[in-house]
Amino acid sequence: MKILLTGCDGQVGWEISRKAPDYNFDVIATDIHNLDITDIEAIRTLQAKKQVDIIINSAAYTAVDKAESDKDLAYSVNALGAKNLAIVAAENNLPILHISTDYVFSGNTTIPYADDSTPDPQGVYGESKLAGELQVAETNARHLTLRTSWVFGIEGQNFVKTMLRLGAENNEISVVADQFGSPTFAGHIATALLKLTKQYHESGDLPWGNYNFCDAGITTWHMFANKIMAIGVEKGILDQSPIVQPIRTEEYPTAASRPPYSVMDCSRFAETFPHIGISSWESGLREMIQTLADQGI
Ligand SMILES: NC(=O)c1ccc[n+]([C@@H]2O[C@H](COP(=O)([O-])OP(=O)(O)OC[C@H]3O[C@@H](n4cnc5c(N)ncnc54)[C@H](OP(=O)(O)O)[C@@H]3O)[C@@H](O)[C@H]2O)c1
């Protein structure tokens, strides 16, 4: 089974690359330096040469705030790039596995979003990702898109690494306490995508469509930060935990607005793919911080 993987240097892509050999998959690992997904002819050329069996797109423009002033590039990568991959997949009768985000929803709710809840993105990043989701679905019937949230991973920059750095440098920090969501470990997303690939490999089919896929557990950035500090101390990365003061969203202004409640109901994924299931974000956090501790970070 040969996989064309895009965005291999990103949080999720890196995890897919490192876990794929466990499944005996051959991965053609690419990132922007050797495959720019906005260039459809480059994708066609690579497919003609490599003859892969499935495409997994983990490439994206993920700078949520920067996207507000960089709309063309955000759309180019998240909408056109995703569509290009879906087109080349369809031309070659291949399926595509894609990733989307909670930012397709407004977050102005108090109940978890279902897979078929109406999207209502509030910023450029969410709009561009929604456009990508729709174009992948329109272009290739054999698509499976996982919508995920608050991704953290061993490789790349993310909230967990920022908190560990701030925790080492400060006795007190302030973190937003009125936004709710589900942190999701990049390693869990990678495992799900690889198990979906395995299922496709064994059966030649998948129940295609869009699925919410997040780690289990609802928290706030403030509670997440407290847990990061506690595990950081437990694993010896931090000498002690700083005081984590709760603040309101208004006290931490950002260029793009954040969904106040971006919790997604992932029960359809769990029921459709019981052999994959949903893990807790806390188990992913422990795995990540243990790995950082082992690396001496
Ligand atoms: N991060 C989150 O909190 C989060 C939350 C929900 C959903 N998601 C979704 O999850 C997926 C994976 O996210 P992630 O956190 O792993 O993202 P990431 O760490 O930002 O990785 C994305 C990778 O794509 C690369 N890339 C950018 N433009 C490209 C292009 N034109 N052609 C090829 N590669 C390109 C990036 O390279 P450069 O670094 O050089 O730009 C980067 O290596 C994305 O679809 C994202 O929208 C992420």
Side-chain angles (χ1 to χ4, degrees), residues 6-13 30-33 35-38 57-63 73 76-78 98-103 125 129 147-152 155-157 186 189:
T6 64
C8 70
D9 296 335
Q11 297 194 82
V12 175
T30 68
D31 209 291
I32 190 159
H33 53 85
L35 182 68
D36 180 345
I37 64 169
T38 66
N57 180 27
S58 65
Y61 181 108
T62 56
L73 186 57
S76 176
V77 180
N78 293 341
H98 181 58
I99 311 171
S100 192
T101 170
D102 54 322
Y103 275 70
Y125 170 69
K129 290 294 294 182
R147 273 188 190 143
T148 192
S149 61
W150 295 26
V151 177
F152 62 95
E155 189 66 23
Q157 267 318 308
I189 304 170

Side-chain angles (χ1 to χ4, degrees), residues 60-79 101 103 121-130 254-258:
Y61 181 108
T62 56
V64 173
D65 290 317
K66 213 166 143 227
E68 293 300 309
S69 54
D70 204 7
K71 187 171 180 177
D72 288 351
L73 186 57
Y75 266 84
S76 176
V77 180
N78 293 341
T101 170
Y103 275 70
Q122 301 293 298
V124 171
Y125 170 69
E127 287 165 9
S128 68
K129 290 294 294 182
L130 177 61
T254 50
S257 68
R258 301 293 193 266

